[in-house]
Amino acid sequence: AVKRSGKNGFRLYSGHLLDQDERRQVLERDLRHALERGELFLEFQPICTVPDGRPVCLEALVRWRHPEFGLVRPDVFIPIAEECGLITSLGEWVLEDALRAAGRWRAAGFGEVRLAVNVSPLQLMQPHFAEMVGRELGRSGVPAAALELEVTEGIDLRGRLQVSHSVDGVRALGVGLSLDDFGTGFASLSRLNDLPVGVVKIDRVFVMDLTGDVERTRRRYVRTLIAAMVAVAGTLGLDLVAEGVETPEQARELIALGCTRAQGFLYAPPLPEAELLTALTRMTQSNPV
Ligand code: C2E
Ligand code: MG
Ligand code: MG
Ligand code: MG
């Protein structure tokens, strides 16, 4: 038996603290069964227009309730799924389950709220990715235009033929593409020219350094960067989303810089599906900043 202890600490009941390798082995072994055992579930975090705070999209975020470790974060198990070939089935399950949920909120009267689903670059490298997306859309009855796939360029995707097939394939279906965590991976401004993205998400590390106890040069840099992003997005007709907005002060800065979309704890945390309708109703009425 194993027990979670503290941040990233995985301890056996015997008291033995698992080292990196042991932890990784146990998680990989258990992840293989997590799907069939129903241990994975989704939460949904609103993406809002600012300054009015109206929800326009919900991002599906996968969680793993491990029987012994408790909640394991996707930052921990997605890389494992990618390394041991489980990301295909995991990603398919996420899309299917998220689309089902979207079907329910659409039926409940929130038809204008889109769905965003994170996609691993490895999924885009698979030959039948676009077909799979088309099939799941068909099954769910959710229109393609209501779906947005979020891609992170953690690895350099340029020039990969299968990636462009997948990207063209989902675009042909009418599905939208977002560039996630912009500014942290391989994606650069020039990438916006050759990837057919409609949305760019500014990574939380930049939002974090807009305010608070930050060196003046760093703060000036992130302000300049975000202002430049706003200008580029405006010119290219992209929606720009600021990620990880936690404080009214950050929101005010972002609004002053020209941002029109935000996501973060200030607006709402990732929510279980059972709480979505209440939250969507409340958020269409209130106004945090
Ligand atoms: P992401 O797609 O950039 O998602 C945003 C992350 O920021 C989420 O972490 C969310 O809970 C967190 N977050 C949102 N607002 C705030 C805030 O105001 N402050 C702070 N500190 N954090 C905030 P989460 O859920 O732990 O997910 C981490 C990453 O795991 C995601 O980053 C995404 O890259 C990946 N991921 C999550 N679900 C999936 C999935 O279904 N498939 C794939 N391939 N990756 C996923
Ligand atoms: Mg994302
Ligand atoms: Mg992100
Ligand atoms: Mg991320």
Side-chain angles (χ1 to χ4, degrees), residues 59-61 116-118 150-152 180-181 201 243 263:
E59 178 179 4
L61 295 160
V117 174
N118 291 284
E150 297 195 359
V151 187
T152 307
D180 203 351
D181 302 345
K201 302 184 80 174
E243 297 193 276
Q263 176 178 16

Side-chain angles (χ1 to χ4, degrees), residues 45 59-63 73-75 78 87 94 118-120 123 150 152 180-181 204 243-246 263-265 270:
Q45 186 179 32
E59 178 179 4
L61 295 160
V62 67
R63 276 87 182 81
R73 298 174 45 91
D75 286 336
I78 292 290
I87 194 66
V94 167
N118 291 284
V119 160
S120 161
Q123 290 178 269
E150 297 195 359
T152 307
D180 203 351
D181 302 345
R204 173 170 93 76
E243 297 193 276
V245 183
E246 295 183 350
Q263 176 178 16
F265 298 159

Side-chain angles (χ1 to χ4, degrees), residues 29 45 78 123 149 177 226:
R29 182 198 67 199
Q45 186 179 32
I78 292 290
Q123 290 178 269
L149 298 179
L177 277 185
I226 293 172

Side-chain angles (χ1 to χ4, degrees), residues 120-152:
S120 161
L122 292 184
Q123 290 178 269
L124 296 179
M125 295 211 254
Q126 283 151 12
H128 301 294
F129 178 74
E131 262 175 70
M132 182 279 286
V133 173
R135 191 177 60 236
E136 294 301 341
L137 277 168
R139 256 189 216 156
S140 69
V142 172
L147 176 65
E148 192 84 56
L149 298 179
E150 297 195 359
V151 187
T152 307

